[in-house]
Amino acid sequence: EEVRDILCQSLQLGARCGSLQPATALLGNLPELDSMAVVTVITALEDHYGFAVADDEISAETFATVGSLVAFVEAKLSQ
């Protein structure tokens, strides 16, 4: 839920935030999620959780769905 909230705040999704589920597609589905927005989301996640993300850790699969983004954050937290 925290990851979803950070995503919603970073992209300024407003009322659409409530419709985001783990299987919700991100890249190609949310017009707000462009390359600059990806950087904004990653920075917000780094600030909130206190980890660093290297450029080579980010792929299209990371931002495929809400669930894949949550899985990425969980993997970073377990390192």
Side-chain angles (χ1 to χ4, degrees), residues 2-3 5 9 14-15 17 20 22 25 27 29-30 34 37 43 49-50 52 54 59 64-66 70 75-76:
E2 285 181 346
V3 173
D5 291 344
Q9 291 172 358
C17 185
L20 295 182
L27 282 178
N29 186 47
L30 295 178
D34 59 15
T43 301
Y49 290 105
S59 67
T65 65
V66 173
V70 169
K76 290 295 292 179

Side-chain angles (χ1 to χ4, degrees), residues 16-41:
R16 290 185 297 155
C17 185
S19 67
L20 295 182
Q21 301 299 318
T24 301
L26 296 177
L27 282 178
N29 186 47
L30 295 178
E32 295 87 354
L33 191 61
D34 59 15
S35 58
M36 290 305 296
V38 166
V39 173
T40 301
V41 171

